[in-house]
Amino acid sequence: MQQACVVLLGLPSSRGSHVKIKIAWVGKTKEPAITSLTEEYLRRIARYAQVEGLSLRDEPALLAKFGKDTGSGSKSYLVLMDSRGKEFSSEQFAKFLGEHLERNPLPLVFAIGGADGFGAEARSLAQSTISLGKITLPHELARVVLLEQIYRAFTILKGHPYHSGH
């Protein structure tokens, strides 16, 4: 069962259309603190972009919603959060985000797998794979770290003082 956590609208991009970002995670949220932090960062990101948080039952549900469409190619630009992915500094991640939003009309979907990560099919269908670093994080905490980094990336791109650069 798909459950939307929060849907918020934000500012239009420089090209006049709404920036669309989706954060999808596999599994139910068990900790109320994680739900609270998720909602807080989704609200913050909404100052800069149209953003949606989605809880999905399992990896097949994720792929059905955001994988390749049989007719016209991809429905979205799928980014898996996986320890085998590319590592970025906050500034590099902001550049990645900014370049995607300027050049790609597809919604940007950041996906966080369940406790066991992603299978081979998801890795083969994703357009990018990003790592939050070499440390191991519980998947619910990884979601909060990702959301904070997306918010930080927008503040970097907009020159907001939230990111001090160290």
Side-chain angles (χ1 to χ4, degrees):
M1 177 171 107
Q2 175 182 318
Q3 174 188 9
C5 176
V6 137
V7 179
L8 301 166
L9 298 178
L11 302 173
S13 73
S14 60
R15 291 171 37 185
S17 61
H18 283 284
V19 176
K20 295 177 184 160
I21 298 175
K22 298 178 186 223
I23 296 87
W25 56 89
V26 172
K28 294 181 180 179
T29 305
K30 297 173 184 156
E31 294 294 328
I34 297 293
T35 299
S36 178
L37 286 167
T38 297
E39 290 172 354
E40 173 62 25
Y41 279 107
L42 286 169
R43 275 192 294 277
R44 289 182 186 199
I45 295 165
R47 297 175 190 157
Y48 303 102
Q50 180 180 354
V51 63
E52 182 177 6
L54 296 167
S55 174
L56 300 168
R57 180 181 65 250
D58 53 21
E59 187 172 306
L62 173 77
L63 296 178
K65 188 157 184 71
F66 300 115
K68 295 189 187 215
D69 189 9
T70 55
S72 61
S74 294
K75 302 181 243 183
S76 57
Y77 188 93
L78 181 60
V79 178
L80 298 185
M81 304 308 297
D82 188 284
S83 62
R84 293 165 275 203
K86 183 173 181 170
E87 291 184 40
F88 290 115
S89 67
S90 293
E91 294 84 359
Q92 291 168 329
F93 182 68
K95 182 178 179 187
F96 167 84
L97 183 64
E99 286 177 354
H100 174 85
L101 298 175
E102 284 294 317
R103 297 183 182 155
N104 198 324
L106 295 174
L108 182 58
V109 177
F110 291 97
I112 299 171
D116 296 326
F118 291 104
E121 183 181 7
R123 287 193 303 276
S124 72
L125 291 175
Q127 285 84 2
S128 291
T129 305
I130 295 176
S131 173
L132 292 172
K134 294 181 182 192
I135 61 172
T136 301
L137 293 170
H139 64 283
E140 289 184 336
L141 188 55
R143 179 192 332 154
V144 174
V145 172
L146 170 63
L147 286 164
E148 191 281 336
Q149 286 298 298
I150 293 170
Y151 173 67
R152 181 177 298 275
F154 276 114
T155 65
I156 290 169
L157 292 171
K158 299 296 183 179
H160 187 277
Y162 177 81
H163 176 72
S164 64
H166 347 189

